[in-house]
Amino acid sequence: MIDFGFGVELDTIEESDLPQMRAWRNDTRIWKWCRQSDLIPMAAHLRWFDGCKEKMYAIRNAGKLVGICGLTSIDTLARRAEFSLYIGPRYHRRGFARAALKTLFKHGFENLGLNLIWGETFDGNPALNLFKSLGMVEEGVRRDFYFKGGKLIDATLISIKWSEFDY
């Protein structure tokens, strides 16, 4: 388990976590902010889990699954990775996202040797304020980059460097 004392632990994703993960990903409160454009069938979810090459973690609080986060698109030469995060809807607004990102970023910088962690968020996502409060910087906007909710939407690119991360 990865625990830096921020209030959550990052743990391995167990097979028993998969039904809850899929239910969250198929919940409109989650997937409206994700790249997916349709519901995820269990067979596809299981294929993802079996072939997962990313560093994905269960977010646990007192042993209870509260969300998922991870590092994807890992480039060991350039020492960068994209972050991914979602918190189960019933656990929103309890500080788990902040705690998970602080833990994930510290792990990525200190244990994996990353220099930059980046991501993107859709126009209107209130999580952008959280990302900025953690020291992430807006790098630019991908205009009309995704099709969601019957329209083209912008995506804001964000990043944080190891030297900018405040533990």
Side-chain angles (χ1 to χ4, degrees):
M1 231 181 277
I2 302 165
D3 184 356
F4 294 116
F6 297 124
V8 297
E9 306 85 35
L10 303 188
D11 195 6
T12 55
I13 296 172
E14 302 297 336
E15 198 167 326
S16 60
D17 297 325
L18 293 177
Q20 181 62 75
M21 288 174 59
R22 180 176 163 265
W24 286 339
R25 286 294 304 274
N26 285 337
D27 186 309
T28 187
R29 294 168 290 183
I30 301 292
W31 79 279
K32 73 178 178 181
W33 303 116
C34 297
R35 292 180 184 138
Q36 80 189 63
S37 57
D38 204 354
L39 300 175
I40 300 172
M42 184 54 91
H45 190 56
L46 292 173
R47 280 192 304 276
W48 168 82
F49 179 69
D50 288 340
C52 190
K53 305 260 187 297
E54 298 93 1
K55 295 192 178 295
M56 298 298 293
Y57 305 98
I59 304 166
R60 300 193 196 281
N61 175 260
K64 185 155 185 70
L65 181 68
V66 297
I68 303 296
C69 69
L71 297 167
T72 65
S73 305
I74 299 169
D75 183 329
T76 54
L77 181 62
R79 296 177 50 214
R80 69 173 177 251
E82 180 180 11
F83 79 94
S84 175
L85 167 79
Y86 60 94
I87 302 295
R90 67 193 278 198
Y91 302 108
H92 285 182
R93 293 178 176 43
R94 295 191 191 176
F96 294 131
R98 174 178 297 282
L101 286 176
K102 286 179 80 167
T103 303
L104 181 67
F105 292 173
K106 186 169 182 169
H107 175 59
F109 293 138
E110 289 190 359
N111 297 336
L112 303 179
L114 297 175
N115 180 59
L116 181 105
I117 297 174
W118 68 278
E120 67 180 0
T121 185
F122 297 155
D123 189 38
N125 188 343
L128 181 59
N129 293 328
L130 167 65
F131 304 150
K132 287 178 172 182
S133 77
L134 290 169
M136 299 195 88
V137 174
E138 284 188 53
E139 292 192 349
V141 175
R142 292 175 158 179
R143 300 176 305 142
D144 290 347
F145 203 73
Y146 292 102
F147 188 78
K148 298 288 278 188
K151 62 181 180 176
L152 290 167
I153 61 170
D154 296 346
T156 300
L157 294 171
I158 51 176
S159 70
I160 188 166
K161 295 185 342 182
W162 186 358
S163 61
E164 299 165 336
F165 183 60
D166 183 15
Y167 298 86

